[in-house]
Amino acid sequence: MKLLQAVWKIYRVGVFPFLHAFSGGGSLVGCRHDPSCSVYAVKVIESNGWFRGLLMATVRVLKCQPFSK
């Protein structure tokens, strides 16, 4: 569980700002979802267990792109 939380923290700090900037977000801050995907991931992993939580978080991250509704 701690490993998954560490992975999401690395994503939030190290990967997300670059993905957001290169996907047309315009800046290095901001997210189309509230709470952000990384915060959501930690919450669903804690409440639903690592397997289902990771699945739910992955679906949410895949929706975080310009062509998603």
Side-chain angles (χ1 to χ4, degrees):
M1 189 83 79
K2 296 284 185 187
L3 178 63
L4 290 175
Q5 291 173 341
V7 169
W8 284 109
K9 187 173 185 177
I10 291 169
Y11 167 79
R12 181 176 59 219
V13 174
V15 178
F16 170 73
F18 297 105
L19 290 177
H20 186 69
F22 292 118
S23 69
S27 70
L28 292 177
V29 294
C31 183
R32 74 185 319 189
H33 299 290
D34 184 35
S36 68
C37 294
S38 55
V39 172
Y40 174 79
V42 170
K43 287 182 180 182
V44 297
I45 289 170
E46 287 175 351
S47 63
N48 294 299
W50 72 269
F51 184 77
R52 185 155 191 241
L54 187 59
L55 181 64
M56 293 170 69
T58 302
V59 169
R60 172 98 175 243
V61 169
L62 291 175
K63 290 181 180 180
C64 195
Q65 41 109 351
F67 302 108
S68 180
K69 293 181 181 178

